[in-house]
Amino acid sequence: MSTVSIHSSTILVQKCILEEILCLDQESQLFGLKSSSFIVSAMAVYKVKLIGPDGQESEFEAPDDVYILDAAENAGLELPYSCKAGACSTYAGQLVLGSVDQSDGSFLDEKQMAEGYVLTCVSYPTSDTVIHSHKEGDLYWAMEGDMW
């Protein structure tokens, strides 16, 4: 009989642990945390404001692991893009406030990034940001100026 009681207490302990993990997973989702295979990590969510050429402002939330362009589309905004790989300038913007990680891109050079140009298709927000959108023409104008 002692084997049966040890076995049932083991099952009971395992059930309690599983219930705590499930509860932790549900609580994690409420607080913007990601969990996978019993590993819980924090996911930051930032406010992104896009200011169009006509001054129209669109604000949405973007998790730190989602490209700004994808987060904008998830929020219902329709924005221009071409390759979605950071190899063109179709959706160039200029960062006014905040910071982004655009290390996945290959189109912009260090000088352009220092001037605040971002490609939203390969930019993760790393803080709340404000970006002037539709800056492809300005980017090419700046590139032509560098040639002379």
Side-chain angles (χ1 to χ4, degrees):
M1 270 213 195
S2 64
T3 304
V4 171
S5 75
I6 291 174
H7 181 64
S8 35
S9 66
T10 302
I11 291 173
L12 181 61
V13 169
Q14 289 175 343
K15 180 181 179 232
C16 290
I17 291 171
L18 181 60
E19 286 174 352
E20 286 181 31
I21 290 170
L22 291 174
C23 184
L24 175 63
D25 186 46
Q26 291 169 352
E27 288 175 8
S28 297
Q29 291 172 3
L30 290 174
F31 293 103
L33 302 175
K34 300 182 285 189
S35 66
S36 173
S37 301
F38 308 111
I39 298 172
V40 176
S41 61
M43 175 184 64
V45 177
Y46 299 107
K47 290 191 185 304
V48 176
K49 182 186 290 186
L50 299 179
I51 303 173
D54 58 357
Q56 180 183 1
E57 296 182 2
S58 301
E59 193 168 321
F60 54 93
E61 292 187 343
D64 65 354
D65 63 346
V66 174
Y67 292 132
I68 292 172
L69 177 62
D70 292 336
E73 288 180 333
N74 292 342
L77 299 175
E78 290 187 28
L79 303 173
Y81 63 86
S82 182
C83 70
K84 268 192 151 179
C88 74
S89 62
T90 302
Y91 201 73
Q94 195 161 23
L95 192 64
V96 177
L97 181 69
S99 59
V100 299
D101 171 6
Q102 57 181 334
S103 58
D104 290 347
S106 62
F107 185 83
L108 298 177
D109 62 29
E110 292 297 321
K111 182 176 184 255
Q112 293 163 330
M113 288 187 282
E115 292 172 352
Y117 287 102
V118 296
L119 299 178
T120 58
C121 61
V122 290
S123 294
Y124 297 106
T126 56
S127 71
D128 291 344
T129 62
V130 177
I131 299 171
H132 283 277
S133 64
H134 299 80
K135 291 293 185 176
E136 183 177 28
D138 293 354
L139 178 62
Y140 279 107
W141 181 258
M143 289 169 62
E144 285 182 21
D146 287 343
M147 291 181 191
W148 302 108

